[in-house]
Amino acid sequence: MSEDRNLDEAKRLLAGYRSSIDNIDAALIHMLAERFRCTKAVGVLKATYGLPPADPAREAQQIERLRRLADDAHLDPDFAEKFLNFVIREVIRHHEHIAANGGASQPG
Ligand SMILES: O=C(O)C(=O)C[C@]1(C(=O)O)C=C[C@@H](O)C=C1
């Protein structure tokens, strides 16, 4: 009987955590969408002025900063670096695509 009650309580807690997880995932998607909206404009700017898609010096600064932020927030800095690199590789792919199209961004 008390095991049933414990299980009910566990299910209630799980549903609460999942509700927060869903909100956080939605926020992440919206933040990523804003970031990509911004980087697409950067891609057009770079293609227009013949600037290279990748800027390794800027990336090194971003990685150093994010690793510090992650550490302060008790998030694994290696994970933060991998995540940023994953996002930036996709941005560079977009930049290259925009440059190959003569500076025109694709919708979406
Ligand atoms: O800041 C730039 O120059 C960008 O193109 C943006 C960005 C990024 O996504 O943060 C992407 C590619 C560069 O190598 C560095 C940074």
Side-chain angles (χ1 to χ4, degrees):
M1 202 36 117
S2 103
E3 263 179 37
D4 282 355
R5 223 176 303 127
N6 285 343
L7 188 58
D8 283 349
E9 175 63 4
K11 284 180 178 171
R12 197 186 61 76
L13 285 170
L14 182 60
Y17 287 133
R18 283 182 173 171
S19 171
S20 289
I21 288 167
D22 285 346
N23 284 343
I24 292 163
D25 286 349
L28 281 174
I29 292 298
H30 285 115
M31 285 192 283
L32 276 174
E34 277 307 302
R35 193 183 197 283
F36 276 99
R37 207 195 313 273
C38 191
T39 54
K40 279 189 181 174
V42 170
V44 172
L45 195 67
K46 285 186 166 183
T48 304
Y49 290 94
L51 296 168
D55 183 340
R58 165 73 175 150
E59 288 179 34
Q61 288 170 351
Q62 288 170 286
I63 287 167
E64 196 192 324
R65 176 171 172 268
L66 273 207
R67 287 190 68 93
R68 222 181 315 118
L69 287 173
D71 204 32
D72 288 350
H74 309 291
L75 178 71
D76 179 0
D78 290 342
F79 171 76
E81 179 171 346
K82 269 190 256 171
F83 178 73
L84 184 68
N85 274 326
F86 178 69
V87 172
I88 289 180
R89 296 285 77 80
E90 181 68 5
V91 171
I92 291 170
R93 206 178 61 79
H94 289 177
H95 286 356
E96 288 168 346
H97 199 256
I98 292 167
N101 283 300
S105 175
Q106 296 295 96

